[in-house]
Amino acid sequence: MVREVWKRELADAVRDPAELCELLNLDPATAKKANKVSRDFPFLVPRGFISRMQQGDPNDPLLLQVLPRLEELDDVPGFVSDPVGEQAARQGAGLIQKYHGRCLLLVTGGCAVNCRYCFRREFPYAESGASPSSFTPAVAQIGHDSSIHEVILSGGDPLLADDALLEDLIQKIASIAHVQRLRIHTRIPVVLPSRITEHFLRIMHETRLTVCLVIHANHAAELDSTVAESLRKLGQVIPLRFNQAVLLRGVNDTTESLVHLSERLLDLGVTPYYLHLLDPVRGASDFNVPEETGRRLVEELRNRLPGYAVPRLAREHPGSPSKTWLA
Ligand code: SF4
């Protein structure tokens, strides 16, 4: 059987920092440092995403998001393995409930890219029970709780699952009368746009659920013509499309960078939704941007953009009944 394009691209993704440095004409010493820190949270980046990086630039904003750095080994007070308290919110195999009326279903433990600042970089997926066999009890649990009106597919990246599996899962969720909405949190339309198959688009078109797609892009350079095409197709079947970005030092912590991101997203039919302050996960402290800087940046965005193009600055506190809006 012929493997789908996106599966071939994923299998061919770069898993060795030395190869990435060679492809981008970077100092090989950079790769040696990266190798020292990528054992626990492996290095992984698709070639299409690499093709959007600048040759010879060690500070490229896309490169910085994926290349392991020695600073990951620093033990910084306040940076912990579970920064948003997800372990306490686990409801059963693959199910997390943090907020009223919504629950999170972990569809996969894998992603198409490993972002070094990820708040789930130490999430114990193997213990969480997230697997196709856990969906039956998880869906039954959702069916028994009539307060749940929205199911959020998360991961890892939920679109790493096969179309057949997603179709079956979404049909099961849609069979629960009190669930009205399906939200999909995914970075895949940005990092592996070929994953948006005709089959997936059909599933989105046919479900009775109102679908809300939340993508994750942090810099305008991530959104090239291949991403634009995937978002155009998604726009034909999913009216609600939003972006969540993370405010990252060296990547997007300037007004210009955030203005370009918002403008590019709007041109592609995606509303800038949240600008998250970094969740203090162990190994990511080097990306941290102070809250005051975040507030100032959003204030400056208000002076440059129409209101609908300004994302909300937000932070998540473990155990809180909602995210905290800071600006
Ligand atoms: S794609 Fe999302 S879940 Fe996966 S590593 Fe990146 S930030 Fe984390």
Side-chain angles (χ1 to χ4, degrees), residues 260-323:
H260 286 148
L261 175 62
S262 278
E263 287 181 332
R264 180 67 175 145
L265 285 165
L266 288 176
D267 289 347
L268 302 180
V270 178
T271 303
Y273 164 46
Y274 274 139
L275 178 62
H276 278 276
L277 289 180
L278 182 80
D279 293 316
V281 67
R282 187 159 50 204
S285 62
D286 206 39
F287 286 106
N288 197 37
V289 176
E291 184 176 318
E292 316 80 77
T293 308
R295 288 179 190 272
R296 176 182 53 76
L297 287 166
V298 171
E299 196 53 47
E300 287 169 8
L301 291 186
R302 284 205 189 95
N303 295 332
R304 293 278 299 273
L305 294 167
Y308 60 84
V310 180
R312 287 173 182 148
L313 185 70
R315 157 159 275 160
E316 190 162 342
H317 293 289
S320 172
S322 67
K323 288 191 202 314

Side-chain angles (χ1 to χ4, degrees), residues 111 113-115 118 156 187 216:
C111 291
V113 66
N114 282 343
C115 314
C118 179
R187 188 146 160 72
H216 171 183

Side-chain angles (χ1 to χ4, degrees), residues 185-203:
H185 279 198
T186 174
R187 188 146 160 72
I188 276 188
V190 175
V191 298
L192 194 67
S194 59
R195 166 65 186 91
I196 306 308
T197 60
E198 292 305 316
H199 188 169
F200 177 72
L201 294 167
R202 185 161 46 77
I203 299 168

Side-chain angles (χ1 to χ4, degrees), residues 34-183:
N35 272 326
K36 285 190 185 157
V37 290
S38 61
R39 272 182 294 254
D40 293 339
F41 184 49
F43 173 77
L44 172 68
V45 55
R47 287 174 197 272
F49 195 72
I50 295 172
S51 72
R52 303 169 215 162
M53 298 175 187
Q54 292 296 322
Q55 288 280 322
D57 181 2
N59 296 315
D60 178 274
L62 277 57
L63 175 74
L64 292 178
Q65 295 179 54
V66 299
L67 189 67
R69 286 179 281 179
L70 283 178
E71 288 81 356
E72 289 186 29
L73 301 174
D74 294 347
D75 196 6
V76 177
F79 283 75
V80 298
S81 63
D82 179 17
V84 297
E86 290 196 317
Q87 296 311 312
R90 275 165 60 177
Q91 295 287 311
L95 206 59
I96 291 178
Q97 186 161 21
K98 289 193 276 193
Y99 303 135
H100 180 76
R102 293 150 273 172
C103 70
L104 208 80
L105 195 56
L106 301 180
V107 179
T108 61
C111 291
V113 66
N114 282 343
C115 314
R116 307 315 297 179
Y117 53 85
C118 179
F119 73 101
R120 291 204 183 118
R121 53 179 289 162
E122 293 195 24
F123 192 89
Y125 288 107
E127 293 164 30
S128 77
S131 74
S133 62
S134 72
F135 293 152
T136 304
V139 171
Q141 215 169 324
I142 296 167
H144 287 129
D145 184 348
S146 60
S147 73
I148 295 177
H149 303 304
E150 178 170 350
V151 175
I152 304 167
L153 302 187
S154 186
D157 197 311
L159 295 197
L160 216 54
D162 265 341
D163 284 328
L165 186 146
L166 282 175
E167 185 165 28
D168 181 52
L169 176 62
I170 291 169
Q171 279 172 358
K172 285 186 173 124
I173 295 169
S175 72
I176 302 170
H178 55 258
V179 176
Q180 296 302 329
R181 290 181 301 279
L182 180 77
R183 198 187 324 169

